[in-house]
């Protein structure tokens, strides 16, 4: 049976050695033999996330459908939970279909483990989503971390205990080992004569991992006994508040408060301000958002380094982040100082400025090399979480003008990344506010972008109204890139509604204006639409002329997305003309471009058509490879139409190979799938197939095969054809990102050719072995590798080890 499997896991590399909890790990692993949902509950800092990741790592081999980590701490709104999970799984929205249906399509039939981390602030949304997924996907298991349970019927609540405390019989308890390990990592060797003080400290901190790690970071300046003395003062201060709070919770707050109080004033100020970032950030971003007259920009590097040393900020290569507990604490201090609004506003303005520069470089600048455009696009995409946080702040602050401006800019990376409707959702909220300070042109543009989201959800009539309102209202004004987008939205909607004459009028005006203003990106897109229109009307030579002109404009511009779109259209047109070899070549050119963008839904469509063309050329092995990969990607992104196209191609392939029963089974599955989508399959092809089947198999056998096929799932029907040649149909690994390695990463890859260990590499480059390990993990992620040996081979092929 066809059973696509996702890449094995997306679990991060452990930043340091996992200490203790051996019994907890064994017990939790055993629970997943029977339990569907296990929630690790406990206070912040008790080690829920670390324990969950350890358990998940141990369980990878038991879940052929993959283990997927979904980090929720940075999300601010319940409606983003499903979208975050969709992003991790690669599922995209499809028309008006609820996103959760695409998630179910992805997870059903595959034994998969989801790890939902930090659910407490979104507990109701998480509970509803988990309950729905578990009810629909019998092979799914979910591991949750939260300060409070989901409270759903399928849930087993597992309270995470503190680490074991030392006593006379066991002085080397888990808590002691953790403290000693982290103190050693901080560069301090604890002598045997202070071990009793260490034991007392572990007891004073209730064995809480975060408290122990923060205390260990301070051993560079304080002895264990001095730490105990200072913590004792803070316990008294903070326990005078809510006496009903759990003791461990009060202890954690005391520990965080104590660690915070030991900071210099400027370190405190920076820590508070860093809380405006929802996820990771780089130095430049921190410098722009966090500086003022009190905290000069040139001071931030040293202050940030100090916070990393004190374990209050996590450094991961060139990126930084705050633990959720620390971020929450720092945000509360920022609000208490009356500066929360000021720095949230600064974050909004800086995100707006960075995204605006990214948009200009990615789409508007006309003479740039493709790698530069790709790098600019990837930077903009990396800011999507910050953009969402900034948009949420704009709504809460009532700043419709900045919110709409940011939303119009961020719509481009959102759409290319696959979430075509999210920008529309934000704009609906923003337009419901007081928009008196927003320019009339921006309001029209915003309504047009809402039309784009409506069109993506198949709400075409309302999309038509808004799109035409936008283009008619804006056409008299000055031309700029976004105006070209508004034209393109109107043309796209009209073409889908079959209003070809009206679409043609606006299309010609768009082409004239794009040419007049040297907007090559929009020109390429418009010429692509013109080719599509000519092809739909049977004018193939004209269509070819237009698409070749589109290709020239796309190459001159250089963005991989538009080049990939044109390459796909060239393939479609070549197939329509009967030039199958040329079609396969054009489609092959689109594959790496979509891989660069990690655009899996578009890649699935390209591969589906490639499989069909390869089958027509008689290369059945290649057809199977393309279609198997396309099916896996389409299932993973929840794209039913592409699945239907793959099944249709497999039906044709089966008949060509003489497997008429397989052809009938697959055709019946296609018809069932299309009918569920409201798109009946072609009766002509079906009738002709059944006529041949009845002639060869007999009426009864043909009818039986058709009835059986109608009961098969798409995966079962596909497997019936794909397994004829014993083809492996497991999900392929995700497309390798072609991100260029940094200079440091290239150095390390080259040293791996020589077989050096992390320690030896660190000595040669004067960095720590832990830093080497992080760089190697980054290299594996960028190149899609899973071992050091693969990196070494790759480096040798690229002459990185020859120095």
């Amino acid at each position: 049976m066809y059973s696509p499997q996702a890449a094995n896991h997306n679990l991060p590399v452990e930043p340091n050695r996992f200490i203790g909890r051996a019994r907890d790990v064994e017990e939790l692993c055993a629970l997943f033999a029977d339990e569907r949902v296990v929630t690790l509950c406990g206070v912040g800092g008790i080690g829920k996330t670390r324990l969950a990741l350890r358990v998940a790592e141990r369980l990878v081999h038991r879940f052929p459908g993959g283990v997927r980590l979904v980090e929720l701490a940075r999300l601010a709104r319940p409606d983003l939970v499903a979208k975050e999970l969709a992003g991790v799984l690669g599922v995209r929205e499809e028309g008006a279909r609820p996103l959760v249906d695409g998630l179910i399509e992805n997870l059903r039939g595959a034994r998969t483990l989801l790890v939902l981390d930090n659910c407490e602030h979104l507990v109701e949304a998480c509970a509803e989503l988990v309950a729905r997924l578990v009810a629909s996907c019998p092979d799914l298991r979910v591991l949750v971390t939260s300060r409070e349970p989901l409270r759903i019927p399928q849930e087993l609540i597992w309270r995470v205990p503190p680490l074991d405390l030392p006593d006379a019989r066991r002085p080397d308890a888990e808590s002691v080992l953790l403290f000693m390990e982290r103190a050693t990592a901080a560069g301090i060797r604890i002598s045997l004569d202070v071990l009793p003080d260490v034991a007392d400290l572990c007891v004073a901190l209730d064995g809480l991992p975060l408290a122990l790690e923060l205390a260990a970071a301070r051993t560079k300046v304080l002895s264990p006994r001095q730490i105990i003395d200072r913590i004792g003062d803070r316990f008294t201060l903070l326990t005078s508040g809510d006496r009903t709070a759990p003791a461990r919770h009060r202890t954690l707050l005391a520990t965080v408060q104590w660690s915070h109080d030991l900071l210099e004033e400027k370190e405190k100020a920076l820590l508070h301000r860093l809380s405006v970032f929802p996820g990771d950030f780089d130095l430049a971003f921190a410098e722009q958002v966090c500086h003022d007259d009190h905290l000069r920009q040139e001071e931030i590097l040293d202050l940030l380094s100090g916070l990393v040393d004190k374990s209050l900020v996590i450094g991961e290569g060139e990126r930084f982040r705050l633990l959720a507990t620390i971020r929450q604490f720092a945000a509360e201090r920022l609000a208490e100082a009356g500066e929360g609004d000021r720095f949230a506003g600064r974050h909004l303005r800086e995100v707006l400025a960075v995204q605006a520069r990214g948009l200009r470089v990615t789409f508007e600048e006309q003479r740039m090399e493709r790698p530069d455009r790709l790098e600019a696009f990837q930077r903009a995409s990396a800011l999507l979480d910050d953009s969402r946080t900034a948009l949420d702040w704009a709504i809460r602050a009532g700043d419709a003008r900045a919110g709409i401006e940011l939303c119009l800019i961020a719509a481009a990376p959102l759409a290319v990344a696959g979430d075509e409707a999210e920008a529309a959702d934000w704009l609906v909220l923003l337009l419901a506010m007081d928009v008196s300070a927003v320019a009339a042109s921006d309001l029209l543009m915003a309504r047009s972008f809402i039309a784009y989201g409506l069109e993506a959800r198949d709400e075409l009539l309302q999309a038509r109204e808004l799109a035409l309102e936008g283009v008619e209202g804006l056409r008299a004004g000055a031309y700029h890139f976004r105006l070209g987008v508004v034209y393109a939205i109107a043309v796209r909607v009209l073409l889908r509604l079959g209003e070809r004459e009206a679409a043609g009028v606006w299309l010609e005006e768009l082409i004239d204006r794009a040419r007049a203003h040297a907007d090559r990106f929009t020109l390429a897109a418009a010429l692509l639409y013109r080719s599509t229109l000519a092809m739909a009307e049977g004018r193939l030579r004209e269509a070819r002329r237009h698409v070749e002109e589109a290709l020239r404009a796309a190459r001159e511009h250089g963005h991989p997305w538009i080049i990939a779109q044109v390459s796909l259209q060239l393939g479609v047109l070549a197939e329509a003309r009967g030039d199958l070899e040329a079609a396969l070549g054009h489609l092959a050119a689109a594959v790496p471009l979509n891989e660069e963008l990690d655009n899996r839904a578009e890649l699935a469509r390209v591969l589906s058509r490639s499989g069909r063309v390869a089958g027509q050329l008689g290369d059945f092995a290649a057809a199977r490879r393309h279609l198997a990969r396309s099916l896996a990607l389409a299932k993973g992104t929840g794209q039913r139409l592409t699945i239907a196209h793959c099944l249709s191609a497999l039906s044709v392939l089966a008949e060509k190979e003489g497997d008429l029963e397989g052809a009938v089974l697959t055709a019946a599955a296609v018809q069932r799938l299309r009918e569920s989508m409201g798109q009946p399959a072609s009766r002509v092809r079906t009738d002709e197939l059944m006529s041949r089947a009845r002639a060869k198999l007999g009426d009864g056998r043909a009818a039986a095969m058709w009835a059986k096929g109608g009961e098969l799932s798409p995966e079962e029907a596909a497997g019936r054809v794909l397994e004829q040649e014993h083809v492996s149909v497991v999900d392929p690994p995700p497309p390798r990102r072609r991100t260029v390695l940094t200079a440091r990463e290239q150095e390390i890859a080259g040293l791996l050719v020589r077989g050096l260990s992390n320690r030896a590499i660190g000595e040669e480059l004067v960095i720590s072995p832990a830093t080497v390990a992080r760089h190697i993990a980054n290299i594996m992620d960028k190149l899609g590798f899973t071992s050091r040996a693969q990196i070494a081979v790759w480096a040798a092929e690229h002459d990185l080890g020859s120095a």
Side-chain angles (χ1 to χ4, degrees):
M1 181 184 300
Y2 173 65
S3 177
Q5 299 173 352
N8 212 19
H9 69 81
N10 67 335
L11 302 175
V13 177
E14 286 190 343
N16 43 39
R17 195 160 69 94
F18 186 84
I19 304 295
R21 298 203 185 279
R23 293 190 307 274
D24 299 340
V25 172
E26 291 296 331
E27 181 178 342
L28 285 165
C29 288
L31 285 175
F32 279 94
D34 301 309
E35 301 297 336
R36 301 292 308 283
V37 181
V38 176
T39 299
L40 306 186
C41 284
V43 298
I46 204 166
K48 301 183 295 294
T49 296
R50 196 71 188 270
L51 178 58
L53 294 178
R54 185 68 166 185
V55 171
E57 181 186 13
R58 289 279 300 274
L59 291 172
V60 165
H61 71 283
R62 287 166 51 181
F63 289 89
V67 174
R68 291 288 177 267
L69 170 65
V70 186
E71 298 172 299
L72 303 175
R74 68 180 185 276
L75 303 186
R77 292 183 10 230
D79 59 306
L80 294 179
V81 173
K83 289 189 175 184
E84 184 69 15
L85 175 56
V88 170
L89 295 176
V91 173
R92 290 174 51 173
E93 290 191 351
E94 182 186 38
R97 184 190 189 198
L99 182 57
V100 70
D101 289 349
L103 297 174
I104 291 171
E105 180 72 27
N106 176 284
L107 295 167
R108 183 186 288 133
R111 186 169 175 79
T112 304
L113 173 65
L114 295 181
V115 183
L116 304 186
D117 190 33
N118 288 304
C119 295
E120 53 270 2
H121 60 306
L122 303 166
V123 66
E124 291 185 5
C126 291
E128 292 175 4
L129 180 61
V130 171
R132 175 79 184 276
L133 294 178
V134 170
S136 303
C137 306
D139 293 319
L140 175 65
R141 300 291 184 271
V142 185
L143 177 58
V144 176
T145 74
S146 178
R147 295 184 188 178
E148 61 177 299
L150 300 184
R151 304 194 189 283
I152 59 177
Q154 304 92 335
E155 180 184 35
L156 183 142
I157 301 168
W158 203 91
R159 302 286 179 182
V160 179
L163 294 176
D164 289 343
L165 297 174
D167 55 28
R169 291 177 294 125
R170 191 181 178 190
D172 60 340
E174 291 177 340
S175 53
V176 173
L177 293 176
L178 177 65
F179 182 87
M180 299 288 283
E181 168 81 8
R182 300 302 186 253
T184 302
I188 302 301
R189 189 176 298 278
I190 302 295
S191 61
L192 293 177
D193 59 340
V194 298
L195 280 180
D197 290 338
V198 172
D200 290 344
L201 177 58
C202 292
V203 172
L205 294 178
D206 286 343
L208 295 174
L210 176 58
L212 291 167
E213 295 201 6
L214 289 171
R218 282 296 175 186
T219 55
K220 287 190 287 187
V221 292
L222 297 172
S223 70
R225 176 49 57 188
Q226 289 173 316
I227 295 173
I228 293 171
D229 293 339
R230 290 172 181 259
I231 287 177
D233 293 339
R234 293 309 168 197
F235 288 171
T236 302
L237 175 64
L238 290 178
T239 54
S240 62
D242 182 3
R243 296 186 182 275
T244 66
R248 290 194 299 273
H249 184 58
R250 284 179 273 144
T251 302
L252 176 63
L253 287 178
T255 304
V256 177
Q257 180 73 57
W258 158 79
S259 184
H260 171 267
D261 286 353
L262 291 177
L263 298 175
E264 298 176 2
E265 288 304 313
K266 288 192 174 183
E267 288 180 321
K268 291 180 183 177
L270 179 58
L271 181 66
H272 300 168
R273 296 172 187 186
L274 292 174
S275 67
V276 301
F277 295 110
D280 61 353
F281 54 89
D282 59 20
L283 174 63
F285 206 3
E287 288 175 334
Q288 290 298 322
V289 172
C290 298
H291 83 277
D292 62 4
D293 293 339
H294 171 63
L295 202 65
R296 297 192 311 276
Q297 193 166 348
E298 58 268 23
E299 296 179 288
I300 290 179
L301 172 58
D302 288 340
L303 293 170
L304 183 59
S305 298
L307 293 173
V308 171
D309 288 342
K310 297 174 178 68
S311 297
L312 288 167
V313 174
I314 306 299
E316 298 173 331
E318 298 177 356
R319 308 293 295 180
F320 304 89
R321 64 182 176 88
L322 271 64
L323 293 172
T325 302
I326 301 300
R327 179 173 177 264
Q328 179 182 349
F329 179 89
E332 291 172 356
R333 304 292 83 75
L334 190 68
E336 288 173 359
E339 293 192 316
D341 292 355
R342 180 161 76 99
F343 283 96
R346 292 196 65 168
H347 177 258
L348 166 61
R349 291 192 294 275
E350 184 59 23
V351 171
L352 183 56
V354 174
Q355 286 285 35
R357 288 196 295 271
L359 177 73
R360 185 172 62 254
V361 171
T362 303
F363 295 103
E364 297 183 56
E365 295 289 344
Q366 296 303 318
R367 297 190 179 279
M368 290 185 66
E369 295 297 323
R370 199 184 89 201
D372 296 329
R373 291 204 190 276
L374 179 62
E375 182 182 356
F377 168 75
Q378 290 172 336
R379 284 200 304 269
S381 296
L383 278 179
L384 288 180
D385 283 334
D386 284 277
S387 297
R388 293 179 178 113
T389 296
L391 286 167
D392 187 65
W393 164 250
I395 290 172
R396 287 187 285 118
D399 193 346
R401 183 194 59 77
I404 288 173
E405 184 179 356
L406 175 57
C407 203
L408 293 176
I409 292 171
L414 278 171
V416 174
D419 197 343
E420 298 174 337
E422 183 175 348
D425 294 339
W426 285 106
L427 285 167
V428 168
L429 296 174
L430 289 161
L431 289 177
M433 297 164 53
D434 178 6
V435 294
S436 57
V438 182
S441 59
D442 282 350
L443 291 176
L444 282 170
M445 203 162 291
R447 290 171 65 81
S448 296
F449 275 57
I450 290 175
Y452 187 48
L454 292 171
E455 185 265 339
R457 290 173 172 162
D458 297 330
E459 299 177 35
L460 299 180
L461 294 179
Q462 188 179 356
R464 179 187 185 280
E465 179 183 349
L466 292 177
L468 293 182
E469 175 190 343
V471 74
E472 289 171 352
L474 292 166
R475 62 196 290 255
Y479 182 88
H480 52 86
F481 168 77
R482 275 188 261 170
L483 178 57
V485 175
V486 173
Y487 269 94
I489 292 170
V491 169
R492 178 168 168 162
V493 172
L494 290 170
L495 284 175
R496 286 199 61 190
L497 285 169
E499 299 182 33
R500 295 176 183 171
E501 184 176 351
V505 171
W506 292 117
L507 188 55
E508 294 309 309
E509 185 170 313
L510 173 59
I511 290 171
D512 290 343
R513 299 196 70 175
R515 279 203 175 106
H517 293 86
D519 181 355
R520 292 179 177 82
F521 184 93
T522 301
L523 177 61
L527 290 167
L528 191 58
Y529 284 131
R530 186 193 260 177
S531 173
T532 300
L533 181 58
M535 184 176 173
E537 296 175 346
R539 295 178 277 116
L540 297 187
R541 288 188 178 182
E542 182 181 337
R544 180 179 181 180
R545 186 171 69 253
H546 296 324
V547 75
E548 288 174 347
E549 188 180 359
L551 181 61
R552 287 192 294 272
R555 284 175 173 168
E556 288 174 4
H557 182 271
H559 196 288
W561 184 84
I562 190 62
I563 298 174
Q565 292 292 306
V566 174
S567 297
L568 173 59
Q569 174 66 4
L570 281 165
V572 171
L573 189 56
E575 182 185 2
R577 296 194 335 265
D579 190 350
L580 299 181
E581 293 284 358
L584 207 55
H586 291 309
L587 294 170
V591 169
L593 297 168
N594 283 302
E595 288 176 339
E596 283 181 344
L597 298 169
D598 200 23
N599 192 339
R600 298 187 183 190
E602 194 65 31
L603 179 58
R605 287 191 280 271
V606 171
L607 290 168
S608 171
R609 189 170 289 272
S610 298
R612 187 173 75 184
V613 173
Q616 293 178 71
L617 285 168
D619 189 347
F620 300 147
R624 278 191 165 83
R625 287 196 304 272
H626 294 318
L627 292 171
R629 189 179 179 195
S630 177
L631 276 166
L633 290 166
K635 183 178 186 296
T637 54
Q639 301 300 298
R640 293 177 299 169
L641 185 57
T642 303
I643 293 175
H645 288 159
C646 286
L647 292 176
S648 296
L650 285 171
S651 178
V652 174
L653 181 63
E655 187 174 7
K656 283 181 175 290
E657 293 183 310
D659 181 12
L660 198 53
E661 290 188 359
V664 172
L665 285 168
T666 315
V670 172
Q671 178 161 303
R672 179 190 175 194
L673 178 59
R674 285 188 175 275
E675 287 174 349
S676 71
M677 300 163 57
Q679 298 180 355
S682 169
R683 293 303 310 174
V684 174
R685 200 264 165 180
T686 300
D687 291 344
E688 291 176 350
L689 172 63
M690 290 305 294
S691 177
R692 293 190 293 272
R694 283 190 291 268
K696 183 175 181 179
L697 303 175
D699 291 348
R701 185 63 177 166
M705 288 296 100
W706 182 264
K708 182 179 179 181
E711 296 174 354
L712 296 178
S713 69
E715 294 81 10
E716 291 169 332
R720 172 63 175 76
V721 178
L722 288 171
E723 290 177 359
Q724 289 299 306
E725 295 296 328
H726 307 290
V727 175
S728 174
V729 293
V730 297
D731 282 354
R736 291 181 181 176
R737 293 178 181 268
R738 299 174 179 254
T739 307
V740 177
L741 300 186
T742 65
R744 176 64 85 189
E745 288 167 349
Q746 291 184 41
E747 281 185 289
I748 290 173
L751 292 172
L752 287 176
V753 175
R754 293 159 51 187
L756 298 185
S757 67
N758 287 3
R759 183 175 297 279
I761 292 173
E763 290 173 354
E764 184 151 340
L765 299 180
V766 197
I767 57 178
S768 71
T771 300
V772 174
R774 285 196 295 271
H775 280 303
I776 290 174
N778 288 338
I779 295 169
M780 289 182 180
D781 181 61
K782 289 181 177 181
L783 300 179
F785 294 156
T786 58
S787 71
R788 297 161 65 96
Q790 288 175 300
I791 298 174
V793 172
W794 179 90
E797 292 173 348
H798 289 77
D799 296 323
L800 296 182
S802 57

